[in-house]
Structure formats: C-alpha cells, structure tokens
Amino acid sequence: MDMGCRTLQMLNMLQNKRFLITGISDAGSLALHTAKAIIEQGGEVVCAGLGVTPHHEGLSEKALAYLSANEQAFRETVKAELGENTPTFILDATQEESMADLAAALKAANTPLDGFLHSIAMDRTIRNKQVKPLLEVTREEFCDTLGISAFSLVRLTHHLLKQDALLDGASICSLSYIAAEKVTFHPYRNMSVAKAALERITIELADELGRSRGIRVNALRFSPYLGSKAGSATLNTEDVAKAASMSPLGNALPRDLALEIVHLFQPGLRITGEVRHVDGGYHVTG
Ligand SMILES: NC(=O)c1ccc[n+]([C@@H]2O[C@H](COP(=O)([O-])OP(=O)(O)OC[C@H]3O[C@@H](n4cnc5c(N)ncnc54)[C@H](O)[C@@H]3O)[C@@H](O)[C@H]2O)c1
C-alpha cells in the first residue's frame, strides 16, 4: 500500500475531535508534526507551550530570557504552521498551578479534550551534547528531570480530569525513546531513567484510567531525530547515522510518528498500555 492510499483511507478520522498538544517549541518539534496530522484528519488542536506564567517569581535574567524566547517561538510557530485561530496556552510542567490553570482555562472555554499528546522533556545534566555520568547527578537534577519529563504526565492528567476537561474514552500518548530499556550507543543516563518512569507511568495509568473511564494511554519510542531542540541538544550527526544503519528501514520520520499517534487517537480503539516502536525497526537489532 502506498502512502497516498493510506492518507486517503485515513481522511477525517478525527472529525469533531479535539486534542491538546504540548511540547511545540519551533517548526522542528515532533509535536508540531503530530498537530498537523490531526488537523489533516479533520481534528482540532489546542496547544500549550513553555513560557512565562503568573507563578514564576524571582526568575533570573537568564531564565526569563529563555522562557520568553521559547514562548515567542511557540506562539509564532503555532500561528504560522497551524493557523491564526489555533488556541494557545502557556504551560510550565514544573508548576502545579500552571497545570491547574491550563485545565481550568479549557474548562472555562467549554472545550473538553478527546485526548492529549505529552511531548515534554528536559534534562539539565545534558550540556553541549555532553551527558553527565549518573554518579555525578545530584538529587535535585534527578528529581527535576523526572518531574518534568515523566511525573508531569500524571499531574497534567490529574488536573484535566479534575476540571472535567478530558472526556471519558479519551486517548493519551507520550513520547519515549529506546534508552528507557537499553543502554544505547549514545547513553543519556539521567534522561533514560526518566523515560523508563514515563513508560511505567503510561502502563499504570492505562490500567487505572481504562477501568475507571475508558481512557487509553500509550507511549511511542521514536528514532533519534536531530531536527528539534531536544534532539540537537543531545545527538550529533554520527549518532543519527549509526541508528539509521542499524535500523532495517532506516530511521523513522516525524511523519511516521504523527500517523501512528493519529491512529492511537482514533475514537473507540481498544489499544492501551502499549509502548510502541516507531523507529524503523531499530529495536530488533539495536
Ligand atoms: N528528538 C529525538 O531524538 C527524540 C527521540 C525520541 C523521543 N523524543 C521525545 O519527544 C518529545 C519531544 O521532543 P522533540 O524532539 O520534539 O524536542 P522539542 O525540544 O521540540 O520538544 C521538547 C519540548 O519540551 C518542552 N518543555 C521542556 N520543559 C518544559 C516544561 N517545564 N513545561 C512545559 N514544557 C516543557 C519544551 O519547551 C519543548 O517544546 C520529548 O519527550 C523527547 O524526549 C525525542
């Protein structure tokens, strides 16, 4: 089956469905590719990106500049790539209040969600593509990475449900990497532990929310990808080429990931608690 045929068959698969997309920073963000695929399938998106919230106090100049630049790029990217009328919200996943604000805003707008994409990761122990040895990681750094990159999935879900902003039968997807399970040729230590936690959280939530509300929760492990800020902060060209050569189909593309998420977002699908590989088959060899 060629891709044209697949695209045609999937037309309007998400009509009248609305999804929250987190983790858009710029045009390279994996989340943006997913948002576009949802819209192609007739779905609606609302986007929540990192920026300055009313709960940030005493920010250093550097932190303020970083958050403001991210916020501006997020808003401009959504406007340019997804359209002027796409609703945008600011979200800092380190802040309970920010997650609660987002859920309350969605409730106030009477726009309950049919699902959301968790596409959030941050590890401050990775600098200039250098990964800190696990033995040197401080308690604060460990908890910071775990909180932003994994536990935020629990808390965001909690706040959305508390505000009735997530519908029964909704579908949640999170983005992971094979390093959650295996030491790869470019280990990234602290983040690997957070990805393992994210996957375990996905599975536990799948059981809890499947039984209570028919909500599905799945994770997708994607190929190494240099096109985003997170990817380019961690990887180099040789890493990506090596993964491609070890993968039977070469590295998966953002479009492959987006189509798989669209599939998992389909209403009524009985698939949950999965950790899917969208990696060109790397996992069978690597
Ligand atoms: N790039 C890759 O090689 C690759 C491979 C597999 C999985 N992933 C995962 O895909 C997801 C998206 O990454 P990407 O490659 O699109 O990079 P990206 O940099 O575009 O996305 C990461 C996002 O996390 C957001 N973020 C960080 N801290 C946050 C906070 N406190 N609150 C809210 N948002 C916060 C950033 O603003 C950014 O938008 C991540 O979970 C990443 O680990 C990436």
Side-chain angles (χ1 to χ4, degrees), residues 22-26 28-32 48-51 66-67 70 91-95 118-122 124 148-149 174-178 188 191 195 198 220-232 234-235 257:
T22 65
I24 294 178
S25 275
D26 56 29
S29 290
L30 293 170
L32 181 72
L50 180 62
Y66 169 76
L67 289 171
N70 196 86
L91 169 70
D92 186 337
T94 64
Q95 298 176 329
H118 181 283
S119 186
I120 297 173
M122 173 64 72
R124 292 179 234 268
I148 298 173
S149 313
S174 64
L175 297 189
S176 189
Y177 182 54
I178 193 139
Y188 64 171
M191 182 58 96
K195 288 298 190 198
L198 180 72
L220 299 98
R221 290 180 180 170
F222 186 54
S223 295
Y225 161 69
L226 263 177
S228 65
K229 277 192 179 150
S232 61
T234 326
L235 301 160
L257 179 71

Short mmCIF file of all heavy atoms in Angstrom, two decimals, residues 22-26 28-32 48-51 66-67 70 91-95 118-122 124 148-149 174-178 188 191 195 198 220-232 234-235 257, ligand 1:
data_model
loop_
_atom_site.label_atom_id
_atom_site.label_comp_id
_atom_site.label_asym_id
_atom_site.label_seq_id
_atom_site.Cartn_x
_atom_site.Cartn_y
_atom_site.Cartn_z
N THR A 22 1.08 19.37 23.65
CA THR A 22 2.13 20.04 24.42
C THR A 22 3.45 19.91 23.63
O THR A 22 3.55 19.11 22.71
CB THR A 22 2.31 19.39 25.81
OG1 THR A 22 2.78 18.04 25.63
CG2 THR A 22 1.01 19.38 26.60
N GLY A 23 4.44 20.70 24.03
CA GLY A 23 5.81 20.46 23.53
C GLY A 23 6.14 21.02 22.17
O GLY A 23 7.09 20.58 21.54
N ILE A 24 5.38 22.04 21.71
CA ILE A 24 5.82 22.72 20.48
C ILE A 24 6.75 23.87 20.89
O ILE A 24 6.37 24.75 21.67
CB ILE A 24 4.62 23.27 19.68
CG1 ILE A 24 3.76 22.12 19.16
CG2 ILE A 24 5.12 24.14 18.50
CD1 ILE A 24 2.51 22.57 18.39
N SER A 25 7.97 23.84 20.36
CA SER A 25 8.90 24.94 20.58
C SER A 25 9.17 25.69 19.29
O SER A 25 9.35 26.90 19.27
CB SER A 25 10.24 24.43 21.11
OG SER A 25 10.17 24.30 22.50
N ASP A 26 9.28 24.92 18.21
CA ASP A 26 9.54 25.53 16.90
C ASP A 26 9.10 24.54 15.82
O ASP A 26 8.54 23.49 16.13
CB ASP A 26 11.03 25.92 16.77
CG ASP A 26 11.96 24.74 17.00
OD1 ASP A 26 11.55 23.60 16.72
OD2 ASP A 26 13.10 24.97 17.45
N GLY A 28 10.59 22.45 14.21
CA GLY A 28 11.20 21.12 14.25
C GLY A 28 10.58 20.20 15.30
O GLY A 28 10.88 19.00 15.33
N SER A 29 9.74 20.73 16.16
CA SER A 29 9.19 19.93 17.26
C SER A 29 8.35 18.77 16.73
O SER A 29 7.50 18.95 15.85
CB SER A 29 8.30 20.81 18.16
OG SER A 29 9.09 21.72 18.88
N LEU A 30 8.55 17.60 17.32
CA LEU A 30 7.77 16.42 16.92
C LEU A 30 6.28 16.68 17.14
O LEU A 30 5.44 16.22 16.37
CB LEU A 30 8.23 15.20 17.72
CG LEU A 30 9.66 14.73 17.39
CD1 LEU A 30 10.13 13.67 18.40
CD2 LEU A 30 9.72 14.17 15.97
N ALA A 31 5.96 17.41 18.19
CA ALA A 31 4.56 17.71 18.50
C ALA A 31 3.88 18.49 17.37
O ALA A 31 2.68 18.32 17.11
CB ALA A 31 4.47 18.49 19.81
N LEU A 32 4.64 19.35 16.68
CA LEU A 32 4.04 20.12 15.59
C LEU A 32 3.64 19.21 14.44
O LEU A 32 2.56 19.37 13.85
CB LEU A 32 5.01 21.20 15.09
CG LEU A 32 4.43 22.07 13.97
CD1 LEU A 32 3.35 23.01 14.50
CD2 LEU A 32 5.51 22.86 13.26
N ALA A 48 -0.31 23.95 24.10
CA ALA A 48 0.23 24.52 25.34
C ALA A 48 1.75 24.44 25.28
O ALA A 48 2.33 23.36 25.17
CB ALA A 48 -0.30 23.75 26.56
N GLY A 49 2.38 25.62 25.34
CA GLY A 49 3.84 25.66 25.21
C GLY A 49 4.49 26.32 26.41
O GLY A 49 3.86 27.11 27.14
N LEU A 50 5.75 26.03 26.60
CA LEU A 50 6.51 26.58 27.73
C LEU A 50 6.71 28.09 27.57
O LEU A 50 7.04 28.57 26.49
CB LEU A 50 7.88 25.88 27.80
CG LEU A 50 8.81 26.31 28.92
CD1 LEU A 50 8.23 26.03 30.30
CD2 LEU A 50 10.17 25.61 28.77
N GLY A 51 6.49 28.80 28.66
CA GLY A 51 6.70 30.25 28.65
C GLY A 51 6.60 30.78 30.07
O GLY A 51 6.68 30.02 31.04
N TYR A 66 15.22 32.85 28.55
CA TYR A 66 14.98 31.52 27.96
C TYR A 66 13.48 31.26 27.79
O TYR A 66 13.02 30.87 26.72
CB TYR A 66 15.63 30.44 28.84
CG TYR A 66 15.24 29.04 28.46
CD1 TYR A 66 15.79 28.42 27.34
CD2 TYR A 66 14.29 28.34 29.22
CE1 TYR A 66 15.40 27.13 26.98
CE2 TYR A 66 13.90 27.05 28.87
CZ TYR A 66 14.46 26.45 27.74
OH TYR A 66 14.07 25.19 27.38
N LEU A 67 12.74 31.50 28.87
CA LEU A 67 11.29 31.23 28.83
C LEU A 67 10.58 32.15 27.83
O LEU A 67 9.70 31.71 27.08
CB LEU A 67 10.68 31.40 30.22
CG LEU A 67 11.03 30.33 31.25
CD1 LEU A 67 10.54 30.74 32.64
CD2 LEU A 67 10.44 28.98 30.87
N ASN A 70 11.30 31.04 24.29
CA ASN A 70 10.54 29.82 23.96
C ASN A 70 9.08 30.17 23.69
O ASN A 70 8.47 29.69 22.73
CB ASN A 70 10.65 28.81 25.09
CG ASN A 70 10.22 27.42 24.62
OD1 ASN A 70 11.02 26.66 24.08
ND2 ASN A 70 8.94 27.10 24.76
N LEU A 91 2.24 26.82 29.49
CA LEU A 91 2.29 25.72 30.45
C LEU A 91 3.73 25.52 30.90
O LEU A 91 4.63 25.34 30.08
CB LEU A 91 1.80 24.42 29.78
CG LEU A 91 2.03 23.13 30.56
CD1 LEU A 91 1.13 23.07 31.80
CD2 LEU A 91 1.79 21.91 29.69
N ASP A 92 3.93 25.56 32.20
CA ASP A 92 5.22 25.12 32.75
C ASP A 92 4.96 23.88 33.59
O ASP A 92 4.34 23.96 34.65
CB ASP A 92 5.88 26.23 33.59
CG ASP A 92 7.28 25.81 34.03
OD1 ASP A 92 7.55 24.59 34.08
OD2 ASP A 92 8.10 26.70 34.32
N ALA A 93 5.44 22.76 33.09
CA ALA A 93 5.14 21.47 33.73
C ALA A 93 5.86 21.28 35.06
O ALA A 93 5.64 20.28 35.74
CB ALA A 93 5.51 20.33 32.77
N THR A 94 6.69 22.25 35.46
CA THR A 94 7.28 22.17 36.80
C THR A 94 6.33 22.76 37.84
O THR A 94 6.57 22.66 39.04
CB THR A 94 8.63 22.94 36.90
OG1 THR A 94 8.36 24.33 36.66
CG2 THR A 94 9.64 22.43 35.90
N GLN A 95 5.26 23.43 37.37
CA GLN A 95 4.37 24.14 38.30
C GLN A 95 2.98 23.50 38.36
O GLN A 95 2.28 23.47 37.34
CB GLN A 95 4.22 25.60 37.85
CG GLN A 95 5.50 26.39 37.83
CD GLN A 95 5.28 27.79 37.27
OE1 GLN A 95 4.42 28.01 36.41
NE2 GLN A 95 6.08 28.73 37.74
N HIS A 118 1.59 14.18 25.29
CA HIS A 118 2.65 14.62 26.20
C HIS A 118 3.96 14.55 25.42
O HIS A 118 4.42 13.46 25.06
CB HIS A 118 2.69 13.68 27.42
CG HIS A 118 3.74 14.06 28.43
ND1 HIS A 118 5.08 13.79 28.25
CD2 HIS A 118 3.65 14.68 29.63
CE1 HIS A 118 5.75 14.23 29.30
NE2 HIS A 118 4.91 14.79 30.15
N SER A 119 4.53 15.71 25.13
CA SER A 119 5.76 15.76 24.33
C SER A 119 6.76 16.68 25.03
O SER A 119 7.32 17.59 24.44
CB SER A 119 5.41 16.28 22.92
OG SER A 119 6.52 16.23 22.07
N ILE A 120 6.94 16.42 26.32
CA ILE A 120 7.70 17.31 27.19
C ILE A 120 8.90 16.57 27.77
O ILE A 120 8.74 15.49 28.35
CB ILE A 120 6.80 17.80 28.35
CG1 ILE A 120 5.64 18.63 27.80
CG2 ILE A 120 7.60 18.56 29.39
CD1 ILE A 120 4.60 19.00 28.86
N ALA A 121 10.08 17.13 27.59
CA ALA A 121 11.27 16.52 28.20
C ALA A 121 12.31 17.60 28.45
O ALA A 121 12.45 18.53 27.66
CB ALA A 121 11.85 15.45 27.29
N MET A 122 13.00 17.45 29.55
CA MET A 122 14.09 18.40 29.88
C MET A 122 15.06 17.72 30.84
O MET A 122 14.64 17.14 31.84
CB MET A 122 13.49 19.64 30.54
CG MET A 122 14.48 20.65 31.08
SD MET A 122 15.51 21.41 29.82
CE MET A 122 14.32 22.47 29.02
N ARG A 124 18.62 18.92 32.54
CA ARG A 124 19.65 19.96 32.63
C ARG A 124 21.04 19.38 32.84
O ARG A 124 22.01 20.13 32.92
CB ARG A 124 19.29 20.95 33.74
CG ARG A 124 18.05 21.78 33.40
CD ARG A 124 17.70 22.74 34.52
NE ARG A 124 16.32 22.56 34.94
CZ ARG A 124 15.28 23.24 34.44
NH1 ARG A 124 15.47 24.15 33.53
NH2 ARG A 124 14.07 23.01 34.88
N ILE A 148 9.70 16.87 35.33
CA ILE A 148 9.29 17.50 34.07
C ILE A 148 8.96 16.44 33.02
O ILE A 148 7.94 16.52 32.33
CB ILE A 148 10.40 18.42 33.50
CG1 ILE A 148 10.72 19.56 34.47
CG2 ILE A 148 10.01 18.97 32.14
CD1 ILE A 148 11.91 20.40 34.08
N SER A 149 9.82 15.44 32.90
CA SER A 149 9.75 14.54 31.74
C SER A 149 8.85 13.32 31.96
O SER A 149 8.50 12.65 31.00
CB SER A 149 11.17 14.05 31.39
OG SER A 149 12.08 15.12 31.38
N SER A 174 2.32 9.52 24.94
CA SER A 174 3.55 10.17 25.41
C SER A 174 4.71 9.69 24.54
O SER A 174 4.62 8.64 23.91
CB SER A 174 3.81 9.82 26.88
OG SER A 174 4.03 8.42 27.01
N LEU A 175 5.77 10.49 24.51
CA LEU A 175 6.90 10.18 23.62
C LEU A 175 8.11 9.70 24.41
O LEU A 175 8.58 10.37 25.33
CB LEU A 175 7.28 11.40 22.79
CG LEU A 175 6.19 11.91 21.84
CD1 LEU A 175 6.73 12.98 20.92
CD2 LEU A 175 5.59 10.77 21.03
N SER A 176 8.63 8.54 24.00
CA SER A 176 9.75 7.95 24.71
C SER A 176 10.87 7.59 23.74
O SER A 176 10.84 7.99 22.56
CB SER A 176 9.26 6.72 25.49
OG SER A 176 10.27 6.26 26.35
N TYR A 177 11.81 6.86 24.26
CA TYR A 177 13.00 6.51 23.47
C TYR A 177 13.50 5.17 23.97
O TYR A 177 13.34 4.83 25.16
CB TYR A 177 14.05 7.62 23.65
CG TYR A 177 15.30 7.42 22.85
CD1 TYR A 177 15.22 7.22 21.48
CD2 TYR A 177 16.56 7.42 23.45
CE1 TYR A 177 16.37 7.02 20.73
CE2 TYR A 177 17.70 7.23 22.72
CZ TYR A 177 17.60 7.03 21.35
OH TYR A 177 18.74 6.82 20.62
N ILE A 178 14.15 4.40 23.10
CA ILE A 178 14.57 3.05 23.45
C ILE A 178 15.52 3.00 24.66
O ILE A 178 15.62 1.99 25.35
CB ILE A 178 15.20 2.33 22.23
CG1 ILE A 178 15.32 0.84 22.53
CG2 ILE A 178 16.53 2.95 21.84
CD1 ILE A 178 14.98 -0.07 21.42
N TYR A 188 22.21 8.33 27.56
CA TYR A 188 21.98 9.65 28.14
C TYR A 188 21.46 9.58 29.57
O TYR A 188 20.74 10.42 30.02
CB TYR A 188 21.24 10.58 27.22
CG TYR A 188 19.83 10.30 26.79
CD1 TYR A 188 19.11 11.27 26.09
CD2 TYR A 188 19.18 9.10 27.04
CE1 TYR A 188 17.82 11.05 25.66
CE2 TYR A 188 17.89 8.88 26.61
CZ TYR A 188 17.21 9.84 25.93
OH TYR A 188 15.93 9.63 25.51
N MET A 191 18.24 11.00 31.74
CA MET A 191 17.00 11.02 30.96
C MET A 191 16.48 9.61 30.71
O MET A 191 15.27 9.39 30.62
CB MET A 191 17.23 11.76 29.64
CG MET A 191 16.00 11.87 28.78
SD MET A 191 14.63 12.71 29.62
CE MET A 191 14.86 14.36 29.02
N LYS A 195 12.72 8.38 31.18
CA LYS A 195 11.91 7.74 30.13
C LYS A 195 11.37 6.39 30.63
O LYS A 195 10.24 6.02 30.30
CB LYS A 195 12.74 7.54 28.85
CG LYS A 195 13.04 8.84 28.10
CD LYS A 195 11.77 9.52 27.62
CE LYS A 195 12.03 10.68 26.68
NZ LYS A 195 10.88 11.59 26.56
N LEU A 198 8.48 7.30 32.67
CA LEU A 198 7.38 7.74 31.81
C LEU A 198 6.63 6.53 31.24
O LEU A 198 5.40 6.50 31.21
CB LEU A 198 7.93 8.60 30.66
CG LEU A 198 6.90 9.13 29.66
CD1 LEU A 198 6.05 10.24 30.28
CD2 LEU A 198 7.59 9.67 28.40
N LEU A 220 5.12 6.06 22.75
CA LEU A 220 5.77 5.73 21.47
C LEU A 220 7.26 6.03 21.58
O LEU A 220 7.65 7.14 21.95
CB LEU A 220 5.16 6.55 20.33
CG LEU A 220 3.66 6.33 20.12
CD1 LEU A 220 2.85 7.41 20.78
CD2 LEU A 220 3.33 6.25 18.64
N ARG A 221 8.06 5.01 21.27
CA ARG A 221 9.51 5.20 21.24
C ARG A 221 9.91 5.57 19.81
O ARG A 221 9.69 4.79 18.89
CB ARG A 221 10.23 3.91 21.62
CG ARG A 221 10.09 3.52 23.06
CD ARG A 221 10.84 2.22 23.30
NE ARG A 221 10.73 1.80 24.68
CZ ARG A 221 11.13 0.61 25.11
NH1 ARG A 221 11.67 -0.27 24.27
NH2 ARG A 221 11.01 0.29 26.38
N PHE A 222 10.51 6.74 19.67
CA PHE A 222 10.84 7.24 18.33
C PHE A 222 12.35 7.14 18.08
O PHE A 222 13.16 7.09 19.00
CB PHE A 222 10.37 8.71 18.23
CG PHE A 222 10.51 9.30 16.86
CD1 PHE A 222 9.96 8.67 15.75
CD2 PHE A 222 11.19 10.49 16.68
CE1 PHE A 222 10.08 9.22 14.48
CE2 PHE A 222 11.32 11.06 15.41
CZ PHE A 222 10.77 10.42 14.31
N SER A 223 12.71 7.14 16.80
CA SER A 223 14.13 7.13 16.37
C SER A 223 14.83 8.40 16.84
O SER A 223 14.18 9.43 17.03
CB SER A 223 14.20 7.12 14.83
OG SER A 223 13.68 5.96 14.29
N PRO A 224 16.15 8.37 16.95
CA PRO A 224 16.87 9.62 17.20
C PRO A 224 16.64 10.60 16.05
O PRO A 224 16.65 10.21 14.88
CB PRO A 224 18.35 9.20 17.26
CG PRO A 224 18.42 7.80 16.82
CD PRO A 224 17.05 7.22 16.84
N TYR A 225 16.42 11.87 16.41
CA TYR A 225 15.99 12.88 15.42
C TYR A 225 16.65 14.20 15.77
O TYR A 225 16.47 14.72 16.88
CB TYR A 225 14.45 12.94 15.49
CG TYR A 225 13.80 14.17 14.91
CD1 TYR A 225 13.80 14.40 13.54
CD2 TYR A 225 13.14 15.08 15.74
CE1 TYR A 225 13.18 15.52 13.01
CE2 TYR A 225 12.51 16.20 15.23
CZ TYR A 225 12.53 16.42 13.86
OH TYR A 225 11.91 17.52 13.35
N LEU A 226 17.40 14.73 14.83
CA LEU A 226 18.19 15.94 15.09
C LEU A 226 17.43 17.24 14.87
O LEU A 226 17.91 18.30 15.24
CB LEU A 226 19.39 15.95 14.13
CG LEU A 226 20.73 15.44 14.63
CD1 LEU A 226 21.74 15.49 13.47
CD2 LEU A 226 21.25 16.28 15.79
N GLY A 227 16.24 17.14 14.26
CA GLY A 227 15.55 18.33 13.78
C GLY A 227 14.91 19.20 14.85
O GLY A 227 14.41 20.27 14.55
N SER A 228 14.91 18.74 16.11
CA SER A 228 14.28 19.52 17.18
C SER A 228 15.34 20.04 18.14
O SER A 228 16.49 19.59 18.12
CB SER A 228 13.31 18.64 17.95
OG SER A 228 14.03 17.62 18.62
N LYS A 229 14.89 20.95 19.03
CA LYS A 229 15.82 21.48 20.04
C LYS A 229 16.32 20.36 20.94
O LYS A 229 17.51 20.26 21.23
CB LYS A 229 15.12 22.53 20.88
CG LYS A 229 15.12 23.88 20.23
CD LYS A 229 14.67 24.94 21.23
CE LYS A 229 14.70 26.29 20.56
NZ LYS A 229 13.72 27.20 21.10
N ALA A 230 15.38 19.52 21.43
CA ALA A 230 15.78 18.44 22.34
C ALA A 230 16.75 17.49 21.64
O ALA A 230 17.76 17.09 22.22
CB ALA A 230 14.54 17.68 22.83
N GLY A 231 16.45 17.16 20.39
CA GLY A 231 17.32 16.24 19.64
C GLY A 231 18.69 16.84 19.40
O GLY A 231 19.72 16.19 19.63
N SER A 232 18.72 18.09 18.97
CA SER A 232 20.02 18.68 18.63
C SER A 232 20.86 18.97 19.87
O SER A 232 22.07 19.11 19.80
CB SER A 232 19.84 19.94 17.77
OG SER A 232 19.12 20.90 18.50
N THR A 234 21.15 16.85 22.27
CA THR A 234 21.65 15.56 22.77
C THR A 234 22.49 14.82 21.73
O THR A 234 23.47 14.18 22.08
CB THR A 234 20.43 14.64 23.08
OG1 THR A 234 19.36 15.42 23.56
CG2 THR A 234 20.79 13.57 24.09
N LEU A 235 22.05 14.89 20.48
CA LEU A 235 22.59 14.00 19.45
C LEU A 235 23.56 14.72 18.53
O LEU A 235 23.51 15.94 18.40
CB LEU A 235 21.44 13.47 18.59
CG LEU A 235 20.34 12.70 19.30
CD1 LEU A 235 19.07 12.70 18.45
CD2 LEU A 235 20.80 11.28 19.57
N LEU A 257 5.73 9.00 12.98
CA LEU A 257 5.29 9.14 14.37
C LEU A 257 3.90 9.78 14.43
O LEU A 257 3.00 9.30 15.13
CB LEU A 257 6.31 10.00 15.14
CG LEU A 257 6.00 10.26 16.60
CD1 LEU A 257 6.19 8.99 17.43
CD2 LEU A 257 6.88 11.37 17.17
N1 LIG B 1 14.42 14.25 19.20
C1 LIG B 1 14.59 12.97 19.43
O1 LIG B 1 15.57 12.36 19.01
C2 LIG B 1 13.57 12.20 20.23
C3 LIG B 1 13.55 10.79 20.12
C4 LIG B 1 12.61 10.08 20.88
C5 LIG B 1 11.75 10.76 21.73
N2 LIG B 1 11.82 12.13 21.81
C6 LIG B 1 10.90 12.79 22.74
O2 LIG B 1 9.97 13.55 22.01
C7 LIG B 1 9.48 14.60 22.86
C8 LIG B 1 9.54 15.91 22.09
O3 LIG B 1 10.89 16.22 21.81
P1 LIG B 1 11.33 16.95 20.45
O4 LIG B 1 12.41 16.12 19.86
O5 LIG B 1 10.16 17.32 19.63
O6 LIG B 1 12.05 18.27 21.00
P2 LIG B 1 11.46 19.72 21.39
O7 LIG B 1 12.60 20.40 22.03
O8 LIG B 1 10.84 20.33 20.22
O9 LIG B 1 10.32 19.35 22.45
C9 LIG B 1 10.53 19.23 23.84
C10 LIG B 1 9.52 20.16 24.48
O10 LIG B 1 9.52 20.05 25.90
C11 LIG B 1 9.13 21.33 26.36
N3 LIG B 1 9.39 21.54 27.77
C12 LIG B 1 10.57 21.43 28.43
N4 LIG B 1 10.41 21.76 29.72
C13 LIG B 1 9.10 22.05 29.89
C14 LIG B 1 8.31 22.47 30.98
N5 LIG B 1 8.84 22.68 32.21
N6 LIG B 1 6.99 22.69 30.81
C15 LIG B 1 6.42 22.53 29.59
N7 LIG B 1 7.12 22.15 28.50
C16 LIG B 1 8.44 21.91 28.65
C17 LIG B 1 9.98 22.27 25.51
O11 LIG B 1 9.53 23.60 25.57
C18 LIG B 1 9.82 21.63 24.15
O12 LIG B 1 8.74 22.19 23.47
C19 LIG B 1 10.34 14.56 24.13
O13 LIG B 1 9.64 13.81 25.12
C20 LIG B 1 11.56 13.79 23.66
O14 LIG B 1 12.26 13.14 24.71
C21 LIG B 1 12.69 12.85 21.06
#
